Amino acid sequence: WLAEANAIVMKCLPVAERVGVKIALENHKDRSADELVDVLSKASSEYLGALVDPGNNISFVEKPEYTCSQLAPYVLMASMKEMGVATYEEGLLLSEVPMGQGATGQLALWNILTSRNKDLKFAVEMIARNPLEVPCLTEEYWAVMPERSASELAGFMQWVRENTTELPYIDDMSRADQLRVEEEWNRDAIDWSRVHIS
C-alpha cells in the first residue's frame, strides 16, 4: 500500500510543480511521522510538504511533540485540534476535546511548527464523537509495525496515564445537541487561536 500511495504522489508532483500548486500530505492514521518524512525528503520539492495534524499520530503510539518535530521541516498547513486520551483494557482511547482541556499542548506544538514555517496557516477541525479505540495493547495492532519496540509502547502508555482526560460520549445526545456541541468546540478553538496565536 505504501509503495503504491507514494507512486501516486510522485505522479502528481510534476503536475503540481508545473501549475504552481503545493501538495500537503496529511498524517492521517496511515503513515508514521517517519514514513511521511521519508517520502517528503526523497521528493525534495517545495511543492510537496505536510499538512500536520498533531492528534492523528497519537493512534500510532506517537507523542504529538514527536510528530510535530519530525514534520516541522516540511509543514505547509496545520490542523489545530485538542485531543484527550485515556486508557481502556486493550489500549488507548482518543478523542477531540475542548481547547485547553486535553493532553496536547497546542501552543507548544504550534511553536514547534512555526519555528520552521513563520507563515504557517491552520485549519480548525473539531469533531464531536465518541472516543476512538486504539487497541495498542493487542498483538494484532502491531502486525504492520514490527519494527516498533516494547519500550516505545511502555513510555507512550505512561504518557497516556499522566495525561488522562475526561472524554466525551455523545451517543445519548440528540443529533441537534451533537451539532451544537461540535459548533461550540469549533468556535472555542477559533477564539482560543485569536488569543494565543498572533
Side-chain angles (χ1 to χ4, degrees), residues 107 110 114 118 120 122 192-198:
L107 185 57
W110 177 254
T114 54
K118 301 296 184 190
L120 185 62
F122 66 89
W192 180 93
S193 301
R194 287 188 177 123
V195 171
H196 293 91
I197 297 174
S198 55

Side-chain angles (χ1 to χ4, degrees), residues 82-94:
E82 181 74 87
M83 303 299 293
V85 295
T87 60
Y88 80 115
E89 60 273 12
E90 292 192 335
L92 157 75
L93 296 172
L94 178 64

Side-chain angles (χ1 to χ4, degrees), residues 82-144:
E82 181 74 87
M83 303 299 293
V85 295
T87 60
Y88 80 115
E89 60 273 12
E90 292 192 335
L92 157 75
L93 296 172
L94 178 64
S95 181
E96 286 92 338
V97 295
M99 294 295 276
Q101 296 181 28
T104 55
Q106 292 295 298
L107 185 57
L109 300 178
W110 177 254
N111 289 337
I112 291 170
L113 296 174
T114 54
S115 70
R116 300 303 295 264
N117 182 346
K118 301 296 184 190
D119 298 320
L120 185 62
K121 303 290 187 275
F122 66 89
V124 170
E125 180 194 359
M126 298 290 288
I127 303 171
R129 57 186 169 187
N130 285 353
L132 173 69
E133 294 182 353
V134 182
C136 59
L137 298 181
T138 66
E139 188 175 338
E140 292 81 4
Y141 173 88
W142 296 95
V144 296

Side-chain angles (χ1 to χ4, degrees), residues 164-184:
T164 292
T165 313
E166 184 176 347
L167 302 180
Y169 287 84
I170 66 165
D171 280 354
D172 292 336
M173 294 183 185
S174 69
R175 184 66 181 142
D177 284 343
Q178 291 176 15
L179 292 173
R180 178 187 51 76
V181 167
E182 188 166 295
E183 182 175 354
E184 286 177 1

Side-chain angles (χ1 to χ4, degrees), residues 23-88:
I23 299 171
L25 295 179
E26 183 175 357
N27 57 303
H28 199 264
K29 301 186 182 83
D30 53 2
R31 305 168 193 256
S32 67
D34 293 338
E35 287 171 331
L36 186 49
V37 165
D38 183 59
V39 69
L40 297 176
S41 63
K42 285 178 180 172
S44 189
S45 171
E46 66 177 303
Y47 288 92
L48 182 63
L51 189 171
V52 179
D53 184 319
N56 277 347
N57 281 27
I58 294 174
S59 64
F60 267 36
V61 188
E62 275 184 22
K63 295 177 186 175
E65 294 82 1
Y66 182 82
T67 302
C68 289
S69 295
Q70 293 302 101
L71 296 176
Y74 308 96
V75 66
L76 297 176
M77 183 72 179
S79 179
M80 299 294 288
K81 62 181 181 184
E82 181 74 87
M83 303 299 293
V85 295
T87 60
Y88 80 115

Side-chain angles (χ1 to χ4, degrees), residues 10-27:
M10 291 307 140
K11 193 170 185 178
C12 296
L13 183 55
V15 178
E17 291 173 337
R18 187 169 65 249
V19 299
V21 174
K22 294 184 177 182
I23 299 171
L25 295 179
E26 183 175 357
N27 57 303

